[in-house]
Amino acid sequence: MSSKCEQCIVRQFSSLKALNKEELLKMAECKTSYIIKKGEPIFEEGETTNGIFCIKDGVCKLTKLSANGKDQIVKLVKPGELLGQRSLISEEPTNLSAVALEDMEVCFIPKKEIMEFFNENNQFSMNVMKTICGDLKDADDHMVSLAQKSVKERLAETLLHLEDTFGKNEDGTLHIQLSREELAGMIGTATESCIRLLSEFNKTGLIELIGKKIAIVDRNKLKRMSE
Amino acid sequence: MSSKCEQCIVRQFSSLKALNKEELLKMAECKTSYIIKKGEPIFEEGETTNGIFCIKDGVCKLTKLSANGKDQIVKLVKPGELLGQRSLISEEPTNLSAVALEDMEVCFIPKKEIMEFFNENNQFSMNVMKTICGDLKDADDHMVSLAQKSVKERLAETLLHLEDTFGKNEDGTLHIQLSREELAGMIGTATESCIRLLSEFNKTGLIELIGKKIAIVDRNKLKRMSE
DNA sequence: AAATTTGTATGACAAATATCATATTTTAAT
DNA sequence: ATTAAAATATGATATTTGTCATACAAATTT
């Protein structure tokens, strides 16, 4: 028996907040829930998903494999967000892979129902459009950053962004747990270069390295460095 | 007296093809036509546009000023496409500037009418969504390219893209006319580096430089080089 | 618990790219 | 037509970044 969608966190934060009781009921009936273990894919580049995923818990990375074999992280997606809207609307296979960075809980809603919501609920369409527009703006910003900033500036920028978006633990370390390789994949550099710069930031008191974890020590300096 | 929108090139290629006779008539009445001279802006980063622009003739660049003062070219927009959809939907000021690369003819449609089309014509909404999704996919691809490819690879890739998208003149040179600085701004590198590589491509027979113009000589080699 | 694999760290060096200087050509202004 | 300004071109050099090698630490498997 499916659980209700009415009180789900995803509904509060995503385009789905526009859905009415009847629509939510329909969704609760057609949805499938999944548990995805850390490291496992939700979908992979080139797949046809035929629906969208709602992220109830856990963070995942959207990556694209580049010609040289490295995974570029395009975006991190957190609870409350939807996944796979783009390829559903474009009616194309996904151009990105989604891989869990933590254990995740997700729900899958089939294309059929989503398309019905589009047709019947204008506010829902508008919300989805706004989300995608937001993604596009972020992508443009990211693009300029990759094109015009140095690796050092991008690392500083990314560390701040990670703290702002995912928060920190009691010991001040970033809550989101990325390997050095993944962090390098976000800023578009070699893993060794990323490690070297973290080490440098550590020595100059910008951050503190506690095992594999990273704590931001001097936010202001880091901010200045990112510009 | 406004001219009709029914036969306009923009209608054939853009989301506007979903509009019916009545809607086109409404649009013809509310639109304003502009002539934009080469080098002039249509709008600038941070402005609130309050409507969308239809490009009837001429190509423009969408740029974003980076912290180091260089203009990054995010996208080139050609006749038949719409401009300013993102910020209209997000209800935010534009994050990009639009500057004419050639003399242009554009029409401005106020926000009010566009929103009415959204509400009354589902196919139109769907078309706009698809366009924005396409832009998002392109942005992701571009991002990976900037992050993972060398300047040489990006230049090769960009030259091919420019020929594919904008065609060539009778003498084989690229039809779209970009300065070296603008080309550098597309691939995200210093102008000197761009010039140097063009010079190298010229010497190795990949391209031919005819004054400021560029002709692709060996497409296949250039393709292989871009990967 | 020992062994293997994986991730992190650092040095040495090579390659890519940016920067600065300057020459030349082209375009625009007077 | 002359001059000034802007764009293109190229060399010299510094800086950034990537690659390869290797060491060490942590996690995982046996």
Side-chain angles (χ1 to χ4, degrees):
Chain A
M1 181 57 201
S2 313
S3 64
K4 282 190 194 168
C5 294
E6 221 169 340
Q7 297 305 324
C8 178
I9 181 181
V10 180
R11 212 208 135 206
Q12 297 167 51
F13 292 117
S14 75
S15 320
L16 302 175
K17 61 172 162 276
L19 299 187
N20 60 36
K21 284 213 164 191
E22 190 189 350
E23 287 164 334
L24 286 171
L25 209 65
K26 194 203 271 188
M27 198 163 86
E29 273 165 21
C30 72
K31 78 165 197 282
T32 325
S33 298
Y34 294 101
I35 301 287
I36 315 268
K37 289 271 170 203
K38 177 175 176 170
E40 284 177 3
I42 303 178
F43 53 74
E44 301 203 73
E45 211 176 327
E47 271 181 33
T48 302
T49 50
N50 270 312
I52 66 173
F53 294 89
C54 306
I55 305 203
K56 210 167 157 184
D57 195 38
V59 176
C60 74
K61 58 178 176 180
L62 294 182
T63 66
K64 192 171 162 65
L65 195 63
S66 72
N68 62 33
K70 282 188 194 167
D71 265 326
Q72 173 70 21
I73 296 184
V74 167
K75 185 183 185 329
L76 298 179
V77 188
K78 55 179 201 293
E81 293 190 82
L82 304 181
L83 218 60
Q85 317 172 66
R86 195 204 67 75
S87 72
L88 182 124
I89 293 169
S90 297
E91 301 182 286
E92 286 173 349
T94 55
N95 58 325
L96 303 171
S97 298
V99 177
L101 289 177
E102 314 167 344
D103 290 350
M104 299 184 75
E105 271 184 78
V106 305
C107 289
F108 176 79
I109 321 285
K111 179 172 182 170
K112 177 172 168 288
E113 276 75 13
I114 298 293
M115 294 316 273
E116 285 170 15
F117 297 156
F118 273 140
N119 286 325
E120 289 158 20
N121 188 327
N122 234 305
Q123 188 55 50
F124 174 69
S125 305
M126 217 53 208
N127 285 352
V128 171
M129 268 204 262
K130 279 192 189 179
T131 307
I132 294 172
C133 285
D135 286 348
L136 183 55
K137 180 171 185 288
D138 292 343
D140 285 345
D141 290 346
H142 201 165
M143 222 156 87
V144 175
S145 170
L146 286 166
Q148 305 281 359
K149 288 188 178 178
S150 68
V151 173
K152 195 183 282 190
E153 290 168 327
R154 266 140 54 197
L155 176 58
E157 185 178 50
T158 301
L159 291 174
L160 291 170
H161 172 250
L162 288 175
E163 190 179 273
D164 292 344
T165 312
F166 301 101
K168 50 187 173 183
N169 302 310
E170 321 76 49
D171 62 350
T173 57
L174 295 180
H175 185 260
I176 180 92
Q177 188 83 327
L178 292 170
S179 70
R180 304 294 192 252
E181 190 179 359
E182 286 168 328
L183 190 54
M186 282 195 77
I187 66 182
T189 189
T191 308
E192 296 96 321
S193 299
C194 175
I195 290 174
R196 222 180 289 276
L197 284 174
L198 282 174
S199 202
E200 187 190 316
F201 283 10
N202 187 26
K203 274 173 196 144
T204 53
L206 290 168
I207 64 174
E208 193 184 351
L209 296 178
I210 303 168
K212 303 191 173 182
K213 295 190 171 182
I214 303 166
I216 292 180
V217 175
D218 193 336
R219 255 196 96 81
N220 292 334
K221 233 186 200 166
L222 214 50
K223 181 97 181 97
R224 258 175 283 134
M225 166 158 291
S226 74
E227 289 166 344
Chain B
M1 181 56 202
S2 314
S3 64
K4 284 190 194 169
C5 295
E6 220 170 339
Q7 297 305 322
C8 179
I9 181 178
V10 179
R11 212 208 134 205
Q12 297 167 52
F13 292 115
S14 76
S15 321
L16 302 175
K17 61 170 161 277
L19 299 188
N20 60 35
K21 283 212 163 191
E22 190 189 351
E23 288 164 333
L24 286 170
L25 209 66
K26 194 203 271 187
M27 197 164 86
E29 272 165 22
C30 73
K31 77 165 200 284
T32 326
S33 299
Y34 294 100
I35 300 288
I36 316 268
K37 288 271 172 204
K38 178 175 175 168
E40 284 177 2
I42 302 177
F43 53 74
E44 301 203 70
E45 212 175 325
E47 272 181 30
T48 302
T49 50
N50 269 313
I52 65 173
F53 294 89
C54 306
I55 306 203
K56 211 167 155 184
D57 195 38
V59 175
C60 75
K61 58 178 176 181
L62 294 183
T63 66
K64 190 169 164 67
L65 195 62
S66 72
N68 62 33
K70 282 187 194 169
D71 266 325
Q72 173 70 20
I73 297 184
V74 168
K75 185 184 186 325
L76 299 178
V77 189
K78 55 179 200 294
E81 293 190 80
L82 304 182
L83 219 59
Q85 317 172 66
R86 195 204 66 76
S87 72
L88 180 126
I89 292 168
S90 297
E91 299 181 290
E92 286 172 349
T94 56
N95 57 326
L96 303 170
S97 298
V99 177
L101 290 176
E102 315 166 343
D103 290 351
M104 299 183 76
E105 272 183 78
V106 304
C107 289
F108 176 79
I109 320 285
K111 180 172 182 169
K112 177 172 167 289
E113 275 76 12
I114 298 292
M115 294 315 274
E116 285 170 15
F117 297 156
F118 274 140
N119 286 326
E120 289 158 22
N121 187 328
N122 235 304
Q123 187 57 50
F124 174 69
S125 305
M126 218 51 208
N127 286 351
V128 171
M129 268 204 261
K130 280 192 187 178
T131 306
I132 293 170
C133 285
D135 286 349
L136 183 55
K137 179 170 186 288
D138 291 344
D140 285 344
D141 289 346
H142 201 166
M143 225 155 87
V144 176
S145 170
L146 285 166
Q148 305 281 359
K149 289 187 178 178
S150 68
V151 173
K152 196 184 279 190
E153 290 169 326
R154 267 139 56 199
L155 176 58
E157 184 179 49
T158 302
L159 291 174
L160 290 169
H161 172 250
L162 288 175
E163 190 179 272
D164 292 344
T165 313
F166 301 102
K168 49 188 174 182
N169 303 310
E170 321 76 49
D171 62 351
T173 58
L174 295 179
H175 185 260
I176 180 92
Q177 189 84 327
L178 293 169
S179 71
R180 302 296 190 251
E181 190 178 359
E182 285 168 328
L183 190 53
M186 281 195 78
I187 66 182
T189 190
T191 307
E192 295 95 322
S193 300
C194 176
I195 289 173
R196 223 180 289 277
L197 284 174
L198 283 174
S199 202
E200 188 190 315
F201 283 10
N202 187 26
K203 275 173 195 143
T204 53
L206 291 168
I207 63 173
E208 194 184 351
L209 296 177
I210 303 169
K212 304 192 173 184
K213 295 190 172 180
I214 302 167
I216 292 180
V217 175
D218 194 335
R219 257 195 96 81
N220 293 334
K221 234 186 200 166
L222 214 51
K223 182 95 181 95
R224 257 175 284 136
M225 166 157 291
S226 75
E227 290 167 340

